[in-house]
């Protein structure tokens, strides 16, 4: 196993143990022969390349003849997804963990962290990642540093991850045409890749917002560990609800100072935009190139809505994944409404600068964004 990194703030989280735990606990993927596995990987790579042309033509985000900052497409297994995300989390969380490390030495009641430190947190983080690793179909990972096993774009960009066993699992579960489903997934994920390669400032903007959010955190380290333990106990079959029968607060809701609520509102808006835009593009391009797109969309939406079980619903709430589902829906409505009113080129003004991104309020009221960005620019 590749080491995730050196010491640094490893006293707070044992990152290598998180990878080892998640890799050991993650569910096995669907049964496929070696030849089938090779064909899946080859087809996903072909679809990713074809999707690049379809998405660029449909979105018009990249001017004709222009060459965007390119980033690699990696077809990975569940263990590969885990390693990439642990590396990304470590990069993002280092400032917060340094702050918590300082508090650990001065705040009473943190004996647990002082005794077993990052190993407890590493195991519990690994348990959560093992749950997520069997559910993610694809992801544009933006923050992990480039390594030999995890290459990135030339200018500090990320990489597109396609999780092959999960794609095969879902296409079988939904009983849809594999060729069509794989292309459909690639269209969504390629849209994310295009967003970040066509808009060079987007990655730094998101990273800055996340770092500001983390810098404003004023949370006792023991509370974070306790919440991780709640999630881990839920995975192990423990009670998924709070003491009074109410759902436990999500990890994000633990750190909600007034400043953080403001930042989180901006992050929610931009994530709704990115997810909704990907769904809109996927539906727009899909009928042209995916013959069974209507069947796939209907079955996939039903799967998204129902979740797998009470356990799945409890973890969605605890990890804030229920908010992500709303982002797909709300963001897609915003994009559709704006394109209907001002066309694709008019919508693309959203990528001009951080100031032209929609606010959380504007996501729910697209006409307000149009009034602010278009009428002001055209007056």
């Amino acid at each position: 196993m590749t080491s995730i990194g050196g010491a640094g703030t490893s006293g707070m989280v044992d990152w290598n143990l998180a990878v080892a735990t998640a890799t050991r606990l993650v569910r096995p993927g669907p049964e496929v022969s070696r030849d089938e596995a090779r064909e899946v990987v080859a087809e996903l790579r072909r679809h990713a390349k074809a999707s690049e042309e379809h998405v660029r033509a449909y979105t018009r985000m990249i001017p004709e003849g222009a060459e965007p900052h390119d980033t690699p497409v990696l077809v990975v297994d569940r263990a590969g997804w885990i390693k990439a995300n642990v590396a990304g989390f470590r990069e993002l969380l280092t400032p917060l963990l340094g702050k918590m490390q300082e508090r650990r030495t001065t705040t009473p009641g943190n004996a647990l962290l002082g005794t077993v430190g990052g190993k407890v947190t590493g195991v519990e983080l690994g348990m959560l990642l093992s749950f997520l690793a069997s559910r993610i179909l694809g992801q544009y990972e933006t923050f992990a540093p480039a390594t030999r096993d995890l290459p990135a774009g030339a200018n500090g960009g990320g990489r597109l991850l396609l999780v092959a066993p999960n794609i095969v699992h879902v296409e079988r579960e939904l009983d849809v045409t594999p060729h069509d489903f794989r292309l459909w997934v690639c269209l969504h994920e390629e849209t994310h890749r295009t967003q970040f390669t066509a808009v060079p400032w987007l990655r730094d903007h998101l990273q800055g917002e996340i770092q500001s959010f983390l810098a404003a955190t004023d949370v006792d380290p023991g509370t974070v560990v306790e919440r991780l333990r709640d999630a881990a106990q839920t995975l192990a079959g423990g009670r998924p609800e709070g003491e009074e029968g109410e759902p436990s607060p999500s990890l994000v809701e633990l750190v909600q100072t007034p400043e953080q609520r403001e930042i989180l509102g901006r992050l929610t808006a931009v994530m709704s935009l990115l997810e909704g835009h990907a769904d809109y593009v996927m539906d727009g391009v899909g009928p042209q190139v995916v013959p069974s797109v209507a069947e796939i969309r209907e079955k996939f939406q039903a799967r998204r809505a129902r979740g797998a079980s009470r356990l799945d619903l409890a973890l969605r709430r605890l990890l804030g994944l229920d908010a992500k589902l709303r982002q797909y829906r709300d963001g897609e409505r915003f994009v559709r409404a704006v394109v209907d009113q001002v066309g694709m080129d008019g919508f693309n003004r959203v990528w001009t600068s951080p100031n032209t991104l929609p606010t959380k309020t504007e996501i729910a009221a697209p006409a307000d964004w149009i009034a602010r960005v278009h009428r002001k620019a055209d007056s």
Side-chain angles (χ1 to χ4, degrees), residues 79-350:
W81 180 88
I82 288 166
K83 291 177 183 177
N85 277 269
V86 169
F89 289 156
R90 185 170 198 247
E91 183 75 7
L92 280 175
L93 292 176
T94 291
L96 174 63
L97 294 180
K99 181 177 180 180
M100 291 172 67
Q101 179 81 21
E102 293 176 5
R103 290 196 60 175
R104 189 181 73 175
T105 61
T106 58
T107 305
N110 288 326
L112 174 65
L113 282 174
T115 304
V116 290
K119 295 196 179 300
V120 170
T121 314
V123 167
E124 291 169 345
L125 177 60
M127 291 180 72
L128 296 182
L129 287 170
S130 73
F131 170 80
L132 294 172
S134 62
R135 285 157 171 77
I136 304 297
L137 300 182
Q139 173 191 2
Y140 190 80
E141 202 296 311
T142 54
F143 301 118
T147 65
R148 184 183 63 184
D149 297 329
L150 196 64
N155 295 302
R159 71 286 295 164
L160 177 60
L161 307 176
L162 297 171
V163 191
N166 296 349
I167 293 172
V168 172
H169 171 78
V170 174
E171 70 192 25
R172 291 179 179 179
E173 178 188 326
L174 298 182
D175 190 24
V176 293
T177 305
H179 173 86
D180 288 2
F181 184 73
R182 294 167 193 175
L183 178 54
W184 188 73
V185 170
C186 285
L187 289 171
H188 181 99
E189 301 306 334
E190 176 58 37
T191 303
H192 287 316
R193 182 167 174 253
T194 298
Q195 289 163 350
F196 282 90
T197 55
V199 186
W201 54 263
L202 184 58
R203 177 185 180 275
D204 288 343
H205 172 71
L206 271 178
Q207 186 171 26
E209 291 280 55
I210 293 169
Q211 293 298 349
S212 295
F213 182 87
L214 295 175
T217 298
D218 188 19
V219 140
D220 178 78
T223 306
V224 176
V225 172
E226 181 183 351
R227 188 59 61 224
L228 282 170
R229 182 169 296 103
D230 285 347
Q233 287 174 350
T234 300
L235 281 170
R239 224 166 28 85
E241 295 179 338
E243 292 298 325
E244 304 298 327
E246 294 296 324
S248 299
S250 72
L251 290 169
V252 169
E253 289 171 333
L254 282 174
V255 281
Q256 286 286 305
T257 66
E259 181 183 356
Q260 285 180 308
R261 282 194 290 271
E262 184 178 334
I263 298 169
L264 188 60
R266 295 196 299 268
L267 281 170
T268 299
V270 72
M271 296 311 297
S272 296
L273 170 69
L274 298 179
E275 296 293 357
H277 183 236
D279 266 12
Y280 177 83
V281 172
M282 181 171 60
D283 287 346
V285 176
Q288 305 168 35
V289 297
V290 182
S292 59
V293 65
E295 177 193 4
I296 291 172
R297 185 65 158 151
E298 181 181 359
K299 289 182 175 181
F300 193 78
Q301 287 287 66
R303 181 181 185 273
R304 261 185 189 171
R306 68 176 179 262
S309 64
R310 185 167 180 262
L311 169 66
D312 195 44
L313 294 173
L315 278 164
R316 278 185 185 182
R317 166 63 180 164
L318 188 59
L319 300 173
L321 299 181
D322 50 350
K324 185 173 178 64
L325 295 178
R326 289 194 298 273
Q327 288 170 5
Y328 286 102
R329 182 181 65 246
D330 298 344
E332 195 274 341
R333 280 201 295 252
F334 170 84
V335 175
R336 186 171 301 279
V338 172
V339 173
D340 285 348
Q341 288 293 312
V342 297
M344 185 64 77
D345 291 333
F347 165 78
N348 281 339
R349 290 193 187 181
V350 79

